[in-house]
Amino acid sequence: MSATLPAPRGARRNASVLLRPAAKPLLFVASLLPLAWLLYGALANTLGANPAEALIRATGDWTLRFLCLTLAVTPLRQWTGQPALLRFRRMLGLFTFFYGVLHFLCYAWLDMGFDLAEITRDIPKRPFALVGFAALLLMAPLAATSFNRAIRALGAKRWQALHRLVYAVALLAILHFFWMRSAKHNYAEVAVYAAILAVLLGWRLVAHLRRRPVAAG
């Protein structure tokens, strides 16, 4: 008979912080800070020589950052022994979609003037735009089914299967970023995000392969 070892004091203290009622509101406010900074920059005219391009790029960057944070929750939960981290995954995922929608709206407004006919012609003829738009479309059902009622309606297995679309979103997002930066042969940031996503997706692949023999048995 094995005894359950108590969690280290540091881990218990961190769990206590993560479980505090204020933790989620603080994360919500922190997630809005990039938007607040961009709005301030637009109003104060501090976004540089091309504010439209700065807004489009910044909202795209923040979409990728929140996507990385969302995908990092599960491995971090295991590495740190902090199940309480799962409390924040849904909010981070929704902010990924939020900044993705802002990225698209900035393009539709600042590049296309909300001309729907021009947008529908422009997206298919530019591969990087088409890939980015596909990633946004794949995120829509994930955001729409992030709520408890949707999870109950779909059932846990179907909900999990649907939300594996996030892996396709990650691949499309990094391809979109690569294609966009390839015009100027600027790959440094692309390499950083690609490495982070490779680690996060690779960890899941290894975890899946380790579970297979157990599942088969």
Side-chain angles (χ1 to χ4, degrees):
M1 186 176 181
S2 62
T4 302
L5 294 175
R9 182 178 299 177
R12 292 201 303 271
R13 184 168 56 247
N14 291 337
S16 174
V17 172
L18 294 171
L19 288 170
R20 286 184 179 176
K24 277 190 172 182
L26 283 174
L27 178 62
F28 184 85
V29 171
S31 299
L32 286 174
L33 289 180
L35 175 61
W37 181 250
L38 289 173
L39 289 175
Y40 168 78
L43 293 172
N45 197 23
T46 60
L47 294 177
N50 191 338
E53 184 178 337
L55 284 170
I56 293 171
R57 288 194 173 187
T59 49
D61 288 346
W62 280 105
T63 306
L64 257 180
R65 289 165 190 161
F66 274 98
L67 179 61
C68 291
L69 288 171
T70 305
L71 289 171
V73 169
T74 299
L76 279 176
R77 180 199 62 175
Q78 292 206 3
W79 292 337
T80 62
Q82 296 291 344
L85 284 169
L86 282 179
R87 298 180 67 222
F88 310 107
R89 187 171 60 184
R90 180 187 305 179
M91 188 186 298
L92 291 171
L94 287 172
F95 267 107
T96 304
F97 182 64
F98 173 72
Y99 279 100
V101 170
L102 283 182
H103 181 52
F104 175 75
L105 288 177
C106 285
Y107 152 78
W109 175 32
L110 301 170
D111 262 9
M112 297 287 124
F114 281 134
D115 185 334
L116 187 58
E118 186 64 26
I119 292 170
T120 53
R121 280 194 297 269
D122 183 64
I123 290 177
K125 75 181 182 186
R126 292 200 292 174
F128 90 91
L130 184 60
V131 166
F133 188 63
L136 181 63
L137 289 180
L138 288 181
M139 279 195 283
L142 307 188
T145 57
S146 290
F147 304 95
N148 292 338
R149 185 175 293 180
I151 298 171
R152 287 194 295 271
L154 283 172
K157 285 189 176 179
R158 278 184 289 185
W159 184 86
Q160 286 176 351
L162 176 65
H163 279 249
R164 289 192 185 104
L165 283 175
V166 71
Y167 308 142
V169 170
L171 296 175
L172 290 172
I174 202 66
L175 181 59
H176 170 70
F177 195 34
F178 170 81
W179 242 326
M180 193 184 70
R181 290 298 174 90
S182 65
K184 295 184 178 179
H185 302 285
N186 181 3
Y187 301 108
E189 281 187 85
V190 180
V192 171
Y193 286 109
I196 293 170
L197 289 173
V199 169
L200 296 173
L201 297 183
W203 179 88
R204 283 170 167 80
L205 178 62
V206 171
H208 173 72
L209 293 175
R210 284 178 176 170
R211 283 196 301 269
R212 284 183 65 186
V214 176

